[in-house]
Amino acid sequence: MADQTIQHVEVDGGVVVGVDGSPSSLRALAIAADEARIRDAVLHVVRAWSIRTAPRPPDCPPNAIPSVDQFHDEVLKDTQRIVAQRIGEDPGITIRYHVAHAPSPHALLSASKGADVIVVGHRGRGGFAGLMLGSVAEQCVRHAACPVLVVRPNV
């Protein structure tokens, strides 16, 4: 298996959405899919991961350490499952997956250089529940090279 890990996400136009499986990112995914439909654009689903946050490959023996490529494959499968559950198997738009072995802000900010817009949830999996804006959303708002849509929860 060739090394398939990436640290920088490069896109050429379209709608970029950060997905980590959190409720906030699932709402951002649905809104980003709608935005891609409206714009007739590609939906770029970005998932950043580390060894600590990646789902463990189910076929890896309990005492073994999966390779980076095995983790990458499992993160990609998990992301594809999340997208299919949230927006359906055939959402009527082109979807490209970008699974980056990098911190979330790094992956999204690198994607922002070629994106038309980035959509992120207001809060992801980390941090403190009382914060108004998560650190990834804040980094995107402050440093992205394109417009950023921060999705608030349904209330």
Side-chain angles (χ1 to χ4, degrees), residues 5 7 9 12 22 38 47 49 61 75:
T5 59
Q7 293 180 328
V9 176
D12 186 18
S22 67
I38 291 166
R47 173 119 177 236
W49 66 277
V75 172

Side-chain angles (χ1 to χ4, degrees), residues 30-80:
I31 289 173
D34 289 343
E35 190 67 25
R37 276 187 210 92
I38 291 166
R39 293 170 180 256
D40 193 25
V42 173
L43 176 64
H44 295 277
V45 177
V46 175
R47 173 119 177 236
W49 66 277
S50 68
I51 300 297
R52 186 180 60 80
T53 63
R56 184 176 174 80
D59 58 348
C60 186
N63 295 328
I65 298 171
S67 70
V68 171
D69 282 346
Q70 287 173 308
F71 273 123
H72 174 275
D73 291 346
E74 195 58 35
V75 172
L76 177 59
K77 286 180 203 170
D78 188 56
T79 306
Q80 290 169 330

Side-chain angles (χ1 to χ4, degrees), residues 63-128:
N63 295 328
I65 298 171
S67 70
V68 171
D69 282 346
Q70 287 173 308
F71 273 123
H72 174 275
D73 291 346
E74 195 58 35
V75 172
L76 177 59
K77 286 180 203 170
D78 188 56
T79 306
Q80 290 169 330
R81 179 190 56 76
I82 289 168
V83 169
Q85 286 177 344
R86 184 63 180 180
I87 63 172
E89 294 284 341
D90 185 16
I93 53 175
T94 301
I95 300 173
R96 294 211 175 98
Y97 293 90
H98 306 272
V99 176
H101 186 209
S104 299
H106 181 82
L108 290 167
L109 292 174
S110 65
S112 78
K113 294 174 185 168
D116 296 327
V117 63
I118 291 182
V119 182
V120 292
H122 81 295
R123 301 262 322 119
R125 290 193 174 276
F128 302 96

